Amino acid sequence: MAQQALPVREARLGKPLGTAGKEAAREALRWRGGGRGTGREVSGVALLLPGGGPTGVRRPSPVAALAVRPLAVRLAKAGRAEGLTAHVVRYRCSGWNGAAAHPARDADWALEEVIRRYGDVPVCLVGTGMGARAALHAAGHPAVNSVLAIAPWLPDPHQDSAQPDPVKQLIGRQVLLIHGTNDERTDPDLSYRYAERAKKVNRDICRFEVHSDGHSLHQHRTEVLALAADFMLGSLFARDFARPVKDALAAPPPLGLRMPLAAGFGTSLRH
């Protein structure tokens, strides 16, 4: 299949959230100049990768980026005291497009842009749907510390002639997958099988199941946001993970890859 032509434009980073804003942008300029200013410094970045479709080379609808903005805001707020900045990536095109894997390439570009703006800071890639697949693909970049994949869209090796998605790039990263058991858009069994393969090369991987919830995880939104924040803070800033996350990381398959997300998770946490 011939590679589809891309629109003549580039991927973009949405405006920074959290400690970021204009203050962090000024700080980034000081970093590139070789000096560190006296303002609050960016010490970690959450890079949000929105969902999309299997194919499509047109400009993405802004709806996809808006859909992950509440998560970006929540993570930025949770990590404000630590110096976290969150950005939403704006893709060049709306689809994955087979072997071209355009969103994964855009994620690589965004990681380079993070380094250019903020220097050597750890990055947590946070993706939903197609964006989760892009995050997993881009995890091998040296700046990536951790990956949070929410309802990831992954290929079915029994129906797709392509090889299964790679997992070796996850070595040395902390990885959390979250999936609703009633997801009718992205198959939760495929994310389990991916996590099972990944666990063989990297023990720092766990997966939570949100029972009775669908693709958007609306029924247990509060718990999902709390879990995402807990994982991000623990992986980027070496905070202690909540006990369920610790247990999931330590447990062998299938227990650590089918950890139920309990109702009320996060009510006793401060983020």
Side-chain angles (χ1 to χ4, degrees):
M1 179 182 296
Q3 181 172 324
Q4 301 181 58
L6 280 175
V8 182
R9 56 192 175 80
E10 296 181 348
R12 293 181 294 146
L13 281 184
K15 66 178 182 180
L17 304 169
T19 65
K22 294 181 180 178
E23 183 176 293
R26 289 194 295 268
E27 188 66 27
L29 290 173
R30 296 189 188 104
W31 280 31
R32 290 202 301 275
R36 297 173 77 142
T38 58
R40 286 184 292 180
E41 297 172 359
V42 174
S43 56
V45 175
L47 202 57
L48 281 291
L49 301 170
T55 60
V57 295
R58 292 187 176 185
R59 183 184 297 272
S61 164
V63 173
L66 289 174
V68 298
R69 184 176 171 82
L71 176 58
V73 171
R74 175 63 182 267
L75 295 178
K77 182 178 179 181
R80 181 176 296 135
E82 305 283 359
L84 178 82
T85 287
H87 285 276
V88 177
V89 178
R90 308 293 177 87
Y91 301 135
R92 292 172 292 169
C93 55
S94 59
W96 184 266
N97 300 320
H102 290 137
R105 294 185 184 183
D106 289 345
D108 286 333
W109 170 87
L111 287 162
E112 290 298 321
E113 181 66 10
V114 164
I115 293 172
R116 186 185 72 81
R117 293 190 188 190
Y118 302 119
D120 185 17
V121 297
V123 178
C124 179
L125 292 175
V126 183
T128 62
M130 183 189 71
R133 187 182 184 188
L136 293 165
H137 269 248
H141 191 284
V144 176
N145 165 278
S146 50
V147 179
L148 173 59
I150 302 174
W153 168 64
L154 296 164
D156 186 343
H158 297 297
Q159 298 180 2
D160 197 330
S161 59
Q163 293 294 318
D165 277 13
V167 295
K168 289 186 177 180
Q169 75 280 4
L170 301 178
I171 294 174
R173 313 304 190 249
Q174 292 180 305
V175 182
L176 170 64
L177 292 86
I178 309 173
H179 219 139
T181 58
N182 289 358
D183 191 335
E184 296 182 352
R185 289 178 56 188
T186 60
D187 190 344
D189 184 59
L190 293 178
S191 74
Y192 171 79
R193 283 191 268 167
Y194 178 90
E196 191 176 39
R197 287 194 298 116
K199 190 77 170 179
K200 293 177 181 179
V201 300
N202 179 12
R203 61 178 297 179
D204 291 327
I205 292 177
C206 63
R207 177 177 172 275
F208 277 73
E209 293 186 335
V210 189
H211 288 288
S212 77
D213 219 338
H215 182 73
S216 299
L217 300 169
H218 284 319
Q219 294 183 41
H220 300 281
R221 181 181 182 82
T222 300
E223 287 86 354
V224 170
L225 290 175
L227 177 60
D230 185 85
F231 175 76
M232 181 204 67
L233 292 172
S235 60
L236 285 184
F237 305 117
R239 286 197 190 181
D240 286 338
F241 290 122
R243 182 58 183 270
V245 179
K246 287 182 181 178
D247 291 346
L249 287 169
L255 297 177
L257 303 180
R258 294 195 183 278
M259 185 67 68
L261 181 59
F265 179 92
T267 54
S268 62
L269 304 176
R270 294 184 177 181
H271 47 264

